Amino acid sequence: MISNLAYIHPDARLGANTTVEPFAYIAGDVVIGDDCWIGPGAVIHDGARIGNRCRIHTAASVSCLPQDLKFAGETTTCEIGDDNDIREYVTVSRGTASTGTTRIGSNNLLMAYVHVGHDCVIGSNCVIANRVSLAGEVHVGDWVVIGGHAAVHQWTHIGAHAMVQGGALLGQDLPPYVIVRNDTLRFAGINKIGLSRRGFAPERIAEIHDACRILFQSGLNYLNGCDEVERQVPQSPERDYLIAFIRESKRGIIKPYESNKCKEE
C-alpha cells in the first residue's frame, strides 16, 4: 500500500508488496526490495539500496549526506541487506570517495537514534541499542551487541560475537568473542552466553576462553600472546580469526584485564 500522502520520485524502484506510509519521502536514485515497510515521515535519500523485508520506522533517514568535510558531492551508495529493523530517528550516511558505500548486512536491529557514519561496514545479526554513534569507517562484525549510548571512534574495528557495554567510548579495536567494560575499556571476559546461544560447542567456547586468557590475562604483550595461543590452543577457524584480528589491528587493541589487586593507576 502506497499512501497518497507520501512522496515517491518517479525514478525510484520499489519491490512487490512494499508499503509506504504517509509523509515518507523516497528520492529518485533508490532501490527498495520486496515486502518492505517505510514508516511515516521516513526519508530514503539518493543512493539507497535496500533489500527485502526491511522496516524503516518513523523519521529514520537512510543514505543521508555524509557528515564529512571532505565529501564533495560524489555519487555514492548505502547498501542494506534483508530483514533489517531500523527504528525511529536512526541516521545512516551514505559513503564517500574513501570507499564509495556504507554497508549494513541482514537481520540487524538498529534501535532509536542510532547513527551510522559514512563508509561504515556492519555485518549481520547485530543489535545496536539506543543512541549508539558509529563514526566514519567503523567496521562491525556479525552477531555484535553494542549497548546504549556507546560511541565508537572512526576507523575502529569490532570483531564478530563481541559485546560493548552501554556507555562505552571505544577508540581501539575490540577483538572477536569478548566483552569490553564501559569504565576503563578493558577486557572483561568472553561473550560466553552469546556464543552458547549461537550454537558454539562447549569445547570450542573453552578453547576461545583459553586463548583470551593467554591474550588478556597472562601479562604477555599481544603479539607474543598470539604466538603463545598458536602453541597452546588447537587450530580452529575461531582461533585463527582471533589472532589474525589482533595482528592486523591498525588502531591498537583494548587494554588487558586488570585485577583489583594490581592496578596500573
Side-chain angles (χ1 to χ4, degrees), residues 151-170:
V152 183
H153 193 279
Q154 64 192 86
W155 302 303
T156 299
H157 287 204
I158 300 175
H161 303 280
M163 175 179 283
V164 179
Q165 292 185 350
L169 302 176
L170 186 62

Side-chain angles (χ1 to χ4, degrees), residues 11 27 30 56 148 179:
D11 292 339
V30 169
I56 315 295
I179 298 173

Side-chain angles (χ1 to χ4, degrees), residues 9 11 24 38 77 82 91 113 156 158 165 169 175 195 250:
H9 192 283
D11 292 339
I38 310 301
T77 60
D82 300 329
T91 55
Y113 293 95
T156 299
I158 300 175
Q165 292 185 350
L169 302 176
L195 294 173
K250 300 296 191 296

Side-chain angles (χ1 to χ4, degrees), residues 184 186 255 258 263-265:
T184 58
R186 291 183 180 274
K255 295 177 182 179
E258 180 183 50
K263 293 186 178 289
E264 293 178 0
E265 293 77 19

Side-chain angles (χ1 to χ4, degrees), residues 131-151:
R131 295 186 181 275
V132 167
S133 294
L134 306 180
E137 304 195 45
V138 167
H139 286 210
V140 178
D142 297 337
W143 295 101
V144 168
V145 176
I146 304 179
H149 298 265

Side-chain angles (χ1 to χ4, degrees), residues 207-226:
E207 291 171 359
I208 292 170
H209 180 271
D210 290 342
C212 288
R213 176 181 50 79
I214 294 168
L215 288 165
F216 299 108
Q217 295 179 260
S218 67
L220 295 170
N221 68 48
Y222 286 138
L223 293 182
N224 289 338
C226 287

Side-chain angles (χ1 to χ4, degrees), residues 15-16 32-36 50-55 80-84:
I32 299 175
D34 299 337
D35 301 303
C36 291
I50 299 172
N52 301 318
R53 298 176 301 280
C54 290
R55 296 176 60 83
I80 297 175
D82 300 329
D83 300 295
N84 290 290

